[in-house]
Amino acid sequence: MRHLLSLEKMERADMEAVFASVPAFKAARLKNDRPLSGQTWAMMFSKASTRTRVSFEVGIHELGGRPLFLNANDIQLGRGEPIQDTARVLGRMVHGIVIRTFSQADVEELAAMAGIPVVNALTDAEHPCQVLTDVYTVQEKLGSISGKVVAFIGDGACNMGVSWIWAAAKLGFELRIAAPKKYQPSAEVVARAGGNIMLTEDLKAAAQGADVLYTDVWVSMGKEAESAQRIADLSGYQINASLLKLAKPGALVMHCLPAYRGKEIDDATFEANAGTIFDQAENRLHVQKAILNWLVG
Ligand code: CP
Ligand code: NVA
């Protein structure tokens, strides 16, 4: 049984198998194979979503399946039914589960108990579907990610920073994370991942000669109570024209979205790079179709 629970747990060969099948899904959206034909996939979400929800709903449909969106607050899970019971009920009725929630342990428990494929659609710990899409987008635009330099500017300790660490370690590119100490990923994760990872407080050093400048929100979902403190602490860790000047000529500016202009990126830089950023958003659909196809293959 295949799952996509984290990039930490995903083999490099499986990432490459997913990437290899994306062009076919992208080239023939409505004429592709229908590996989910007759299937129903539950999408159990405890956090807000635009891209992930829409891309999975459309993708499951285009692969011949039916998405069943379950807002966690509308099912008994929201009133305290244990995740292991929810898993065993869904496992008897649907063919796969896409889950967005807080705790990574809940996703692992769901996968252990449901007996059907489970996809992590974002937890506090990782956002594997996003980073697989981002790596695919870099490959599409720069030819390859191997040997390239990705500079992640902002909250490096969040789910995105951690998924980038595992991608860099497994796929062989350099990752530089520029963040205040408090917002750097744990040294334990970096050591466990291995690879070429630089942690720094100096965003200029991170951006110097980089092939990609990447950012994410300063206030991730679930951290709203820390909002004012985070905005104060991360102020300055912004992608803007002066930072971009330090990167390699033609460097990509990427953002997983949603974007908060004037915070992690300024408006002019966002709009000047909107072509790349919205190609990246669109690729969620194509890459996730490849992921679903791999899961049931
Ligand atoms: N990037 C991303 O996952 O967006 P959503 O939160 O809108 O799904
Ligand atoms: N780090 C962000 C990613 C949003 C797609 C969050 O968890 O809210």
Side-chain angles (χ1 to χ4, degrees):
M1 169 90 34
R2 285 180 175 157
H3 303 290
L4 173 49
L5 305 182
S6 62
L7 294 191
E8 176 173 2
K9 290 201 164 151
M10 191 173 190
E11 304 287 337
R12 176 185 180 141
D14 290 331
M15 296 181 192
E16 284 170 349
V18 166
F19 296 145
S21 69
V22 178
F25 285 111
K26 189 163 177 172
R29 261 189 75 179
L30 299 176
K31 293 193 195 115
N32 50 230
D33 292 343
R34 303 197 162 235
L36 304 188
S37 185
Q39 298 194 0
T40 300
W41 278 61
M43 297 181 45
M44 201 160 70
F45 279 42
S46 302
K47 291 177 176 173
S49 172
T50 300
R51 282 143 289 273
T52 308
R53 177 176 177 177
V54 175
S55 55
F56 268 112
E57 289 210 31
V58 171
I60 290 166
H61 170 71
E62 289 183 4
L63 294 178
R66 172 177 187 258
L68 178 67
F69 187 79
L70 302 171
N71 180 326
N73 291 324
D74 293 341
I75 59 175
Q76 298 288 5
L77 184 74
R79 299 181 66 246
E81 184 170 20
I83 192 87
Q84 60 267 37
D85 295 353
T86 308
R88 284 177 284 187
V89 171
L90 291 179
R92 286 166 184 244
M93 296 184 186
V94 302
H95 302 90
I97 305 171
V98 177
I99 177 170
R100 169 168 285 203
T101 191
F102 296 86
S103 153
Q104 180 71 20
D106 282 354
V107 174
E108 311 269 343
E109 180 136 37
L110 186 70
M113 299 296 286
I116 52 175
V118 169
V119 182
N120 175 358
L122 182 149
T123 61
D124 293 344
E126 275 218 39
H127 195 359
C129 297
Q130 179 70 56
V131 173
L132 287 174
T133 302
D134 299 337
V135 169
Y136 179 80
T137 305
V138 173
Q139 290 173 336
E140 190 176 52
K141 293 192 178 293
L142 301 182
S144 155
I145 199 163
S146 168
K148 300 281 192 307
V149 177
V150 175
F152 184 105
I153 313 293
D155 177 14
C158 80
N159 41 21
M160 288 299 304
V162 173
S163 287
W164 269 110
I165 287 172
W166 291 104
K170 294 188 182 199
L171 294 168
F173 59 90
E174 183 181 342
L175 177 68
R176 301 174 185 163
I177 295 183
K181 273 260 166 349
K182 193 173 152 191
Y183 299 90
Q184 291 181 2
S186 81
E188 183 273 321
V189 171
V190 174
R192 197 149 43 86
N196 189 358
I197 317 275
M198 174 214 253
L199 304 184
T200 177
E201 290 183 90
D202 181 351
L203 69 169
K204 291 184 178 156
Q208 194 70 49
D211 296 278
V212 178
L213 295 189
Y214 196 101
T215 192
D216 179 20
V217 295
W218 288 348
V219 184
S220 284
M221 293 181 278
K223 304 283 187 196
E224 291 78 5
E226 301 170 14
S227 204
Q229 187 65 52
R230 286 176 161 265
I231 290 167
D233 292 344
L234 285 155
S235 149
Y237 285 83
Q238 182 187 72
I239 298 184
N240 53 34
S242 68
L243 195 70
L244 186 54
K245 270 199 198 108
L246 302 173
K248 206 174 260 180
L252 300 177
V253 172
M254 298 178 72
H255 195 309
C256 60
L257 301 175
Y260 291 84
R261 291 161 171 81
K263 304 248 177 358
E264 73 276 2
I265 190 164
D266 74 343
D267 182 53
T269 308
F270 182 91
E271 291 302 336
N273 292 278
T276 301
I277 291 166
F278 290 103
D279 281 352
Q280 181 188 353
E282 179 194 323
N283 277 342
R284 296 290 304 279
L285 171 64
H286 311 303
V287 172
Q288 285 162 196
K289 285 170 77 176
I291 291 169
L292 291 164
N293 181 55
W294 168 74
L295 287 170
V296 299

